[in-house]
């Protein structure tokens, strides 16, 4: 599902206009992004937790040339799926 389709579904489910649903979705994305950027966890109970992680610097190889390269340390985003979401997916998977 693309963002535009998600916006349409959100509008359907809430009775909001598509423009207002897009505004709400964009605000949610912005809030989560800003919080994780500040190293704050965002927990949506039953759905997911978004947090910041770290990847250490390491050595690697350029796949095209085989040359050794240094890969710098980086911040990452971690998403842990909530129990309610996992359970819903597993119930759907069992019915198939």
């Amino acid at each position: 599902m693309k963002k535009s389709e998600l916006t349409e579904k959100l509008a359907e489910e809430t009775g909001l206009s598509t423009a207002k649903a897009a505004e709400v979705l964009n605000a949610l994305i912005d809030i989560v992004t800003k919080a994780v950027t500040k190293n704050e966890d965002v927990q949506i109970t039953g759905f997911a937790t978004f947090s910041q992680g770290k990847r250490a610097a390491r050595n690697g190889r350029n796949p095209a040339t085989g040359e050794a390269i240094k890969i710098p340390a980086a911040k990452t985003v971690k998403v842990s799926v909530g129990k309610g979401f996992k359970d819903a997916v597993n119930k759907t998977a069992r019915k198939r």
Side-chain angles (χ1 to χ4, degrees):
M1 181 180 295
K2 295 180 182 178
K3 187 177 178 183
S4 60
E5 295 166 325
L6 183 57
T7 300
E8 289 174 17
K9 289 283 187 187
L10 182 60
E12 276 178 31
E13 292 286 326
T14 62
L16 296 171
S17 68
T18 304
K20 193 64 173 174
E23 191 178 320
V24 170
L25 182 58
N26 287 331
L28 176 65
I29 292 168
D30 191 45
I31 291 166
V32 172
T33 301
K34 285 178 181 175
V36 173
T37 300
K38 293 178 185 175
N39 202 21
E40 297 173 12
D41 292 355
V42 176
Q43 182 179 7
I44 303 171
T45 304
F47 180 65
T49 300
F50 302 86
S51 60
Q52 193 179 104
K54 294 179 184 175
R55 184 177 300 136
R58 61 197 189 281
N59 294 321
R61 293 217 174 263
N62 180 331
T65 64
E67 176 186 357
I69 58 172
K70 291 188 180 195
I71 303 170
K75 292 179 183 176
T76 62
V77 177
K78 293 196 263 181
V79 179
S80 300
V81 180
K83 183 177 179 346
F85 190 11
K86 277 186 206 175
D87 289 348
V89 170
N90 284 320
K91 285 179 186 174
T92 303
R94 287 186 201 130
K95 290 181 183 178
R96 291 184 185 172

